[in-house]
């Protein structure tokens, strides 16, 4: 529906199953929305991002801050394969940004 609403006929959306070895294409963007709330899923998420992201893939990770120590643990895993930086609130959509929502952009090392 978003592809149609944004008049982007060349865009392709694919659900990412964390247990699948790969996709049939190298995505330009992987969007992870609130994917680090459960610490037992940190390793599977880091692993699938490593398997699927290509050299040019941009990973956007947005999450609500809950348990800081869990977040630190995920970023330690993610940093094994990716470089990343936060997207400052001033660079986020003014209506969608929130004090407890954090957005990061990552790329494979």
């Amino acid at each position: 529906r978003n592809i149609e609403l944004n008049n982007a006929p060349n865009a392709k959306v694919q659900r990412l199953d964390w247990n699948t070895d790969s996709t049939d294409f190298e995505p330009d963007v992987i969007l992870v929305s609130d994917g680090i709330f459960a610490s037992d899923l940190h390793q599977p998420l880091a692993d699938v991002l490593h398997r699927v992201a290509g050299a040019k893939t941009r990973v956007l990770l947005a999450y609500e801050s809950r348990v800081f120590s869990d977040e630190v643990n995920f970023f330690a895993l993610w940093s094994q394969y990716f470089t990343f930086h936060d997207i400052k609130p001033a660079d986020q959509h003014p209506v969608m940004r929130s004090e407890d929502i954090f957005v990061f952009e990552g790329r494979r090392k």
Side-chain angles (χ1 to χ4, degrees), residues 29-40:
V29 176
I30 298 173
L31 176 61
V32 181
S33 177
D34 209 19
I36 66 170
F37 66 91
S39 60
D40 59 321

Side-chain angles (χ1 to χ4, degrees), residues 13-25 27 30-32 41 43-53:
V13 176
Q14 181 173 336
R15 185 179 142 264
L16 180 60
D17 182 339
W18 294 8
N19 297 311
T20 301
D21 285 337
S22 64
T23 61
D24 61 352
F25 68 101
I30 298 173
L31 176 61
V32 181
L41 297 177
Q43 188 67 58
L45 176 58
D47 290 346
V48 75
L49 291 174
H50 179 246
R51 285 194 312 267
V52 172

